[in-house]
């Protein structure tokens, strides 16, 4: 009897012990990185939570309280007092050439802003072919992930040339073939630059026909509008054209760097928002990106020289400007375009082969040459490509667009404008902390998760288990842009950590020389 009872007690004890062990010790998680005590914005919620995040290989392995599970991590980051966020996704950059240059492919200007994925190939101009570009990126490695759009202008130039004419049916079929091949290779969509030559020479039907191919491959349409001002069809008709393309081709449309450019269209943001939201109600997916600056950047020629004068390319323009009959007309229209942007004082030359011009506005340069501003333009262009910062937006429209849940952050970052180095921290510092246009959560969600959804980039942009570990940690007190119009090449400050594909690139505020990005391919 005594033995039997002892046996029973033993059995009950063993079962209880097993239950106790099962309840208390979950299987331990072996992780590479554990981020503890941070204020975590996951990309979706409107409020942060204090949770821990474990990273294993290239994925997020756990999100929750580290006290509830056993996590063995080789690196522990104490993020107490810091903001933890999904890495930012920049839907519009001009980092194309940097990423294939071994010395610049770390992509530091973006990396230090907290960007972990950049898009290239915007404005209708893309690297071609995708496969070759991707291989070049992979040769030296890239500091951020990169997603590529196929540029309509690039394809049109190859198939139709640089002339101001409609594409034939045969040429459209040929362009469709090229675009389909690029989509199949991994492009995320097609971009257009309908303001620029040769994109401006195409009509809406051509774009719809090409966008249909993009729709079939589940891509998106990204556009630099035909007109952001009153140059040709006008800003509102250009917005309507984009919506029509989305509706007829059956794909999501994304308006790049949405703005009201120039005094003629200031305060049209209210009407534009109403038009876009009406389209959204009809089921058309219309979204936009925006950079937080009141000056745009573009080529001096693109900004003020009439498009018809450029037809045939640069050589043809030189011939026309030297032909007396055409010269007068070109100068007259150039003068109107300068006025539209706010006058010669608002056009700052930020880049030119002639260093004398850099940092001076068109009015100052025209005084140096003692000739009218419209003639000075061609004097400047004699030295080659000149880039300008053009102060042409109002705060009213900027804040109005920024407030919309379908407007995400996009730098449009290219050399010479501070936005390449500062867009994301500037939006945080100026429009979240200083002016309270946005909450921190709205800023983060519309710089990560919403952008990933718009671009249809899977498994990135959110801090969720199973997602790729693209994570940034910044100090909310010091995260700030440092680049200015005078010194546009200053890295942002305040980013403490950047983790891309599970690997650290910025550690305690310092870049550690690791290129952890990858070329994303649309599946
Ligand atoms: Zn653009």
């Amino acid at each position: 009897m005594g033995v039997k009872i002892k046996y029973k007690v033993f059995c009950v004890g063993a079962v209880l012990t097993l239950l106790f062990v099962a309840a208390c010790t979950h299987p331990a998680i072996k992780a590479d990185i554990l981020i503890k005590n941070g204020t975590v914005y996951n990309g979706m919620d409107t409020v942060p939570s204090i949770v821990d995040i474990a990273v294993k290989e290239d994925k997020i392995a756990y999100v929750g309280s580290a006290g509830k599970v056993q996590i063995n991590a080789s690196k522990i980051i104490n993020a107490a007092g810091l903001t933890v966020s999904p890495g930012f996704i920049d839907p519009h950059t001009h980092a194309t050439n940097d990423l294939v240059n071994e010395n610049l492919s770390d992509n530091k200007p973006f990396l230090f802003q907290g960007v972990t994925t950049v898009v290239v190939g915007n404005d209708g101009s893309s690297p071609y072919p995708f496969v070759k570009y991707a291989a070049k990126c992979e040769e030296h490695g890239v500091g951020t992930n990169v997603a590529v759009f196929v540029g309509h202008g690039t394809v049109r130039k190859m198939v139709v040339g640089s002339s101001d004419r409609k594409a034939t049916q045969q040429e459209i079929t040929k362009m469709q073939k090229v675009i389909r091949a690029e989509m199949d290779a991994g492009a995320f969509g097609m971009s257009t630059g309908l303001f620029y030559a040769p994109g401006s020479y195409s009509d809406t039907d051509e774009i719809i026909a090409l966008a249909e191919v993009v729709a079939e491959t589940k891509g998106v349409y990204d556009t630099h509008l035909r007109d952001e001002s009153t140059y040709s069809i006008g800003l509102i008709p250009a917005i309507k054209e984009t919506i029509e393309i989305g509706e007829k081709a059956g794909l999501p449309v994304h308006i790049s760097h949405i703005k009201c450019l120039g005094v003629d269209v200031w305060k049209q943001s209210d009407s534009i928002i109403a038009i876009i939201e009406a389209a959204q109600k009809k089921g058309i997916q219309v979204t936009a990106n925006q950079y937080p600056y009141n000056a745009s950047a573009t080529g001096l020629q693109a900004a003020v020289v009439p498009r018809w004068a450029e037809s045939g390319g640069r050589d043809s323009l030189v011939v026309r400007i030297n032909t007396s009959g055409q010269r007068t007309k070109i100068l007259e229209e150039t003068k109107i375009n300068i006025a539209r942007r706010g006058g010669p004082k608002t056009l700052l030359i930020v880049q030119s082969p002639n260093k004398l011009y850099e940092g001076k506005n068109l009015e100052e340069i025209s005084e140096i040459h003692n000739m009218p501003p419209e003639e000075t333009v061609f004097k400047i262009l004699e030295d080659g490509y000149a880039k300008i910062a053009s102060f042409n937006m109002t705060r009213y429209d900027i804040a109005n667009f920024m407030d919309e849940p379908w407007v995400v952050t996009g730098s449009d970052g290219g050399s010479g404008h501070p936005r390449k180095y500062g867009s994301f921290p500037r939006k945080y510092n100026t429009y979240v902390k200083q002016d309270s246009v946005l909450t921190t959560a709205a800023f983060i969600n519309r710089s990560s998760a919403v952008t990933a959804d718009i671009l249809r980039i899977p498994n990135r942009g959110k801090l969720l288990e199973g997602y790729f570990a693209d994570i940034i940690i910044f100090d909310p007190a010091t995260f700030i842009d440092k680049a200015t119009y005078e010194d546009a090449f200053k890295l942002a400050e305040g980013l403490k950590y950047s983790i891309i594909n599970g690997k650290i690139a910025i550690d305690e505020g310092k870049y550690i020389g690791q290129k952890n990005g990858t070329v994303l391919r649309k599946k």
Side-chain angles (χ1 to χ4, degrees):
M1 277 298 274
V3 173
K4 250 190 182 171
I5 289 168
K6 267 186 193 162
Y7 180 67
K8 266 189 186 166
V9 169
F10 171 74
C11 285
V12 170
V15 168
L16 283 175
T17 308
L18 274 175
L19 283 172
F20 181 73
V21 167
C24 295
T25 51
H26 293 271
I29 297 172
K30 235 177 110 48
D32 300 316
I33 305 166
L34 173 63
I35 303 163
K36 287 181 74 171
N37 311 320
T39 305
V40 177
Y41 291 84
N42 63 10
M44 300 163 290
D45 296 342
T46 53
V47 287
S49 51
I50 308 286
V51 287
D52 306 314
I53 298 172
V55 172
K56 187 174 163 54
E57 292 167 357
D58 60 352
K59 302 270 167 48
I60 295 170
Y62 178 78
V63 180
S65 167
K68 285 190 184 154
V69 292
Q70 195 191 331
I71 299 172
N72 298 318
S74 30
K75 172 150 182 117
I76 294 175
I77 296 172
N78 182 6
L82 303 177
T83 302
V84 182
S85 157
F88 297 146
I89 299 172
D90 191 336
H92 191 121
T93 80
H94 295 281
T96 318
N97 295 333
D98 288 1
L99 291 172
V100 292
N101 177 335
E102 192 177 358
N103 300 317
L104 300 174
S105 69
D106 47 31
N107 219 9
K108 269 190 210 157
F110 296 93
L111 196 62
F112 275 79
Q113 294 182 60
V115 172
T116 55
T117 298
V118 296
V119 172
V120 300
N122 304 90
D123 291 332
S125 169
S126 64
Y128 180 86
F130 174 87
V131 174
K132 210 168 149 194
Y133 181 73
K136 264 187 168 175
C137 285
E138 280 156 353
E139 202 178 302
H140 303 301
V142 281
T144 61
N145 300 316
V146 54
V148 182
F149 280 136
V150 53
H152 160 252
T154 300
V155 176
R156 195 181 208 272
K157 202 168 176 184
M158 282 191 315
V159 175
V160 184
S162 298
S163 303
D164 183 358
R165 67 168 175 85
K166 275 180 77 164
T168 63
Q169 189 49 51
Q170 219 178 1
E171 287 165 337
I172 288 177
T173 308
K174 214 168 163 187
M175 287 191 276
Q176 284 175 324
K177 238 176 121 179
V178 176
I179 289 163
R180 187 184 301 274
E182 289 295 272
M183 289 300 297
D184 288 343
F188 277 78
M190 175 177 78
S191 78
T192 60
L194 300 184
F195 175 67
Y196 300 108
S200 57
Y201 304 144
S202 62
D203 58 17
T204 312
D205 288 343
E206 173 182 328
I207 305 300
I208 291 169
L210 302 179
E212 278 168 357
V213 172
V214 181
E216 283 164 24
T217 44
K218 297 270 173 285
V220 300
Y221 173 77
D222 165 66
T223 184
H224 179 134
L225 295 171
R226 196 178 289 277
D227 196 350
E228 295 180 317
S229 185
T230 50
Y231 279 93
S232 55
I233 61 171
L235 172 58
I236 287 176
I239 297 271
K240 287 182 176 164
E241 180 186 31
T242 306
I243 293 169
E244 184 189 347
I245 291 163
E247 185 170 26
K248 293 197 173 151
L251 83 176
V253 292
H254 186 60
I255 299 161
S256 269
H257 42 63
I258 196 164
K259 66 171 83 70
C260 298
L261 191 162
V263 58
D264 296 348
V265 294
W266 280 350
K267 301 221 168 164
Q268 286 191 359
S269 53
D270 293 304
S271 318
I272 291 166
I273 289 166
I275 291 166
I276 289 177
E277 291 185 344
Q280 289 168 341
K281 281 204 185 94
K282 277 174 68 186
I284 307 160
Q285 294 179 54
V286 191
T287 56
N289 68 64
Q290 178 198 37
Y291 53 78
Y293 293 86
N294 66 347
S296 63
T298 188
L300 176 64
Q301 183 174 322
V304 298
V305 175
R307 240 4 121 250
W308 62 265
E310 295 180 292
S311 174
R314 190 182 161 77
D315 294 347
S316 312
L317 173 64
V318 173
V319 170
R320 288 192 189 100
I321 192 70
N322 291 316
T323 310
S324 59
Q326 306 207 51
R327 183 178 174 85
T328 318
K329 194 163 178 255
I330 292 174
L331 289 179
E332 263 169 23
E333 288 188 31
T334 302
K335 192 177 174 182
I336 292 168
N337 290 340
I338 292 169
R340 187 188 336 266
R341 285 187 171 253
K345 228 183 194 163
T346 66
L347 303 176
L348 177 73
I349 309 291
V350 292
Q351 198 188 317
S352 161
N354 186 340
K355 298 298 156 202
L356 172 75
Y357 297 145
E358 287 185 2
K360 293 192 179 70
N361 66 47
L362 182 58
E363 187 172 278
E364 290 168 329
I365 299 169
S366 84
E367 278 162 11
I368 291 172
H369 288 308
N370 197 22
M371 52 172 71
E374 59 275 20
E375 281 196 57
T376 309
V377 166
F378 293 92
K379 178 86 184 151
I380 296 169
L381 291 175
E382 273 173 21
D383 287 316
Y385 178 82
K387 191 168 195 171
I388 55 165
S390 164
F391 293 82
N392 55 43
M393 284 169 257
T394 61
R395 194 191 174 286
Y396 177 83
D397 292 316
I398 294 171
N400 214 3
F401 285 128
M402 196 179 283
D403 198 27
E404 295 304 318
W406 43 269
V407 176
V408 299
T409 321
S411 70
D412 194 7
S415 286
H417 190 296
R419 67 194 183 196
K420 179 178 179 180
Y421 285 72
S423 287
F424 288 80
R426 178 182 172 85
K427 186 165 167 181
Y428 177 67
N429 209 59
T430 305
Y431 293 94
V432 177
K433 281 172 68 180
Q434 200 179 296
D435 296 354
S436 303
V437 173
L438 288 177
T439 63
T440 299
F443 160 66
I444 286 177
N445 298 356
R446 296 177 209 163
S447 299
S448 56
V450 180
T451 318
D453 287 346
I454 289 171
L455 300 174
R456 295 180 164 174
I457 296 176
N459 304 323
R460 294 186 194 267
K462 294 170 191 166
L463 298 181
L464 283 179
E465 287 171 18
Y467 268 54
F468 284 98
D470 292 347
I471 307 170
I472 57 162
I473 304 173
F474 63 84
D475 184 343
T478 60
F479 189 43
I480 192 169
D481 56 306
K482 298 304 272 186
T484 61
Y485 292 102
E486 290 72 35
D487 187 355
F489 301 92
K490 276 194 160 159
L491 294 172
E493 290 177 359
L495 186 72
K496 296 295 176 198
Y497 296 89
S498 173
I499 299 167
I500 303 180
N501 294 307
K503 293 195 179 64
I504 293 178
I506 290 177
D507 193 0
E508 291 182 25
K510 291 197 175 58
Y511 176 60
I512 59 166
Q514 297 289 319
K515 294 176 188 172
N516 301 330
T518 181
V519 179
L520 306 182
R521 288 168 174 83
K522 188 168 181 64
K523 296 242 161 56

